[in-house]
Amino acid sequence: MLALDDVSIIYAARSGPVQAVSGVTLHLPVGGSLGLVGESGCGKSTLALAALSLLPPEARLSSGAVRLEGQDLATLPEAKLRRLRWTRMAYVPQSAQNALVPVHSLRRQFRDTAAAHGMRSAAADERAAALFQRVELDPAILDRFPHELSGGMRQRAMIALALLFGPSLLVADEPTTGLDVIVQRQVIDLLRDLRTEDGLALLFISHDIGVVAELCSHVAVLYAGKVMESGATDRVFSLPNHPYTMGLQRAFPDIRHPERSIVSIAGHPPRLSAPPQGCPFAPRCPFAQPLCHNTVPSLVAGPDGRAVACHFAADAEALRDRARDPALWDAAA
C-alpha cells in the first residue's frame, strides 16, 4: 500500500540544513498496520507528512521515493495528488482542535471537504451521519461547532471526516495524545475496528509504545531521523535488539511487573543540523564502545524478519540482561 524507499528529508533553517530523516525504508502492506515510535523530534511527523506528499515549503525530499500503490508521489502533479488525498489516503493530525475550523459547524466542514472532490451536499450529509454513527457520535452533533465538543468527541469527528471517501490508507499522527485513558481506549478500539472491518491500512505515529503495541502488528523505532529497529511489534518490544529500544521498554511501566523499576534515558537527542559522526544514539547509550562513536551502523535484517542498526546486535541477549539493571542507566546519566 505504502512504500518509503531510502527516504531522506532536509529542512532549510537559518543555521543551515537540518537532516530530519535519513535513509528510512519502510513498507506498509494493504490492510496492514505500522507504528512509528520515538522521542519528540525524531522524524515521526515528518515521515507522516511525506507519506501524504504534504511536506511544508521549507522541507524537501533529498533522496529516495514515497510510493502509494506503486505510484511515486514525487512525480505526480499537484492536481492528481489532491484527488488522491482523502479518496485513497487520509490524515488524522495531532490536534483535532487545531485541524477543525472553529467558525464552521461540523456539517459545513464535511460539505466543504465533499465538494472539493465532487460530492453533493445531500450525499455528504448522508455519509457524515453514517460515519458519526460508526464512530459512536450522535449525528445531531454535526450541527455543532468544534468548541462545543469534548476532546474525545473532536478526535472521533476528525476520524469520521478522514473516512469520508473510504480511503485505503489512514495516517494517524498521535491521535490519542492529550486524551484521558478512557477516551484513548475508545479511539484505539475504533481504529482497530476500522482496520479489521474495512481492511484499512494504518500508519500510526506515537511516542507511547503501549498504544503502538496494542494497535499495530509492526513497528519502527526512530531516533534522530533514522530507524534503529523494526519488525513485528510483539518481537521488538518483548525482545528488543537495540539499546534504544531497550531503554524505551524500561522507561514505561508494566502492570504485569509493578515491582520493576522505571528508568530514564539520560541526555538529549543530537542536533540534526550537526549529527554525530557515528551512531546517533552512542552519546546516550550505556553499552557504547569507541566503534559506536566513529562508525554509523547499518540497518541489517535478521533471520526473524527484524532489522536493527547496532554494531553489537549479535550480543542483544546479553545486553538485554544488563539493561534490566536500573543502575546501568543511572551510571550512564
Side-chain angles (χ1 to χ4, degrees):
M1 186 69 206
L2 177 70
L4 307 175
D5 295 321
D6 196 27
V7 169
S8 295
I9 299 170
I10 292 176
Y11 280 84
R14 292 181 179 179
S15 58
V18 176
Q19 188 79 49
V21 174
S22 181
V24 170
T25 295
L26 296 169
H27 293 162
L28 174 60
V30 174
S33 56
L34 173 64
L36 302 181
V37 299
E39 297 172 72
S40 297
C42 70
K44 304 186 301 296
S45 294
T46 295
L47 277 175
L49 294 174
L52 300 160
S53 196
L54 280 175
L55 288 171
E58 64 271 16
R60 64 181 177 88
L61 188 70
S62 60
S63 67
V66 179
R67 294 184 175 87
L68 178 74
E69 298 177 317
Q71 297 183 91
D72 187 347
L73 298 185
T75 65
L76 298 181
E78 183 60 28
K80 189 165 185 179
L81 284 170
R82 286 177 62 85
R83 289 195 297 269
L84 285 175
R85 297 186 191 114
W86 238 261
T87 58
R88 301 300 297 157
M89 54 183 181
Y91 180 49
V92 178
Q94 288 190 28
S95 173
Q97 176 66 46
N98 297 332
L100 295 169
V101 181
V103 295
H104 291 168
S105 69
L106 295 172
R107 186 182 302 279
R108 166 74 181 277
Q109 297 184 56
F110 270 85
R111 287 180 175 180
D112 287 347
T113 304
H117 293 276
M119 181 186 287
R120 294 183 179 274
S121 294
D125 288 348
E126 183 178 348
R127 176 72 173 155
L131 286 170
F132 262 43
Q133 290 176 334
R134 183 75 186 278
V135 301
E136 298 182 359
L137 290 176
D138 188 337
I141 294 174
L142 282 164
D143 293 311
R144 296 186 186 178
F145 290 82
H147 71 272
E148 297 181 280
L149 277 62
S150 68
M153 293 168 71
R154 282 194 297 266
Q155 198 62 274
R156 282 182 283 165
M158 192 68 232
I159 293 172
L161 184 58
L163 299 174
L164 183 59
F165 289 92
S168 299
L169 170 66
L170 182 66
V171 179
D173 190 355
E174 302 200 34
T176 60
T177 298
L179 303 178
D180 64 66
V181 292
I182 302 299
V183 178
Q184 280 191 33
R185 161 57 54 199
Q186 294 171 347
V187 173
I188 292 170
D189 288 345
L190 171 61
L191 291 173
R192 183 188 291 112
D193 291 343
L194 291 170
R195 276 197 56 235
T196 56
E197 295 172 12
D198 297 0
L200 191 71
L202 177 66
L203 180 63
F204 187 85
I205 292 91
S206 180
H207 61 271
D208 190 331
I209 65 173
V211 173
V212 172
E214 190 165 352
L215 190 58
C216 300
S217 61
H218 287 75
V219 65
V221 180
L222 298 179
Y223 184 81
K226 295 177 179 287
V227 176
M228 298 288 101
E229 186 169 1
S230 65
T233 305
D234 55 349
R235 295 286 296 172
V236 169
F237 288 149
S238 62
L239 296 171
N241 283 342
H242 195 284
Y244 180 58
T245 314
M246 297 176 196
L248 287 181
Q249 181 199 48
R250 299 293 301 179
F252 277 80
D254 187 341
I255 61 173
R256 299 167 299 179
H257 304 285
E259 76 286 350
R260 193 183 77 173
S261 299
I262 304 299
V263 305
S264 61
I265 302 175
H268 303 279
R271 291 177 54 203
L272 297 182
S273 57
Q277 182 178 352
C279 173
F281 186 60
R284 306 172 70 188
C285 180
F287 308 115
Q289 301 296 321
L291 173 66
C292 305
H293 293 279
N294 299 320
T295 305
V296 178
S298 300
L299 185 67
V300 179
D304 60 353
R306 278 195 289 174
V308 60
C310 179
H311 293 298
F312 302 101
D315 303 324
E317 185 175 356
L319 297 182
R320 284 195 295 269
D321 287 338
R322 294 175 59 192
R324 294 189 179 97
D325 183 5
L328 177 78
W329 301 94
D330 293 339

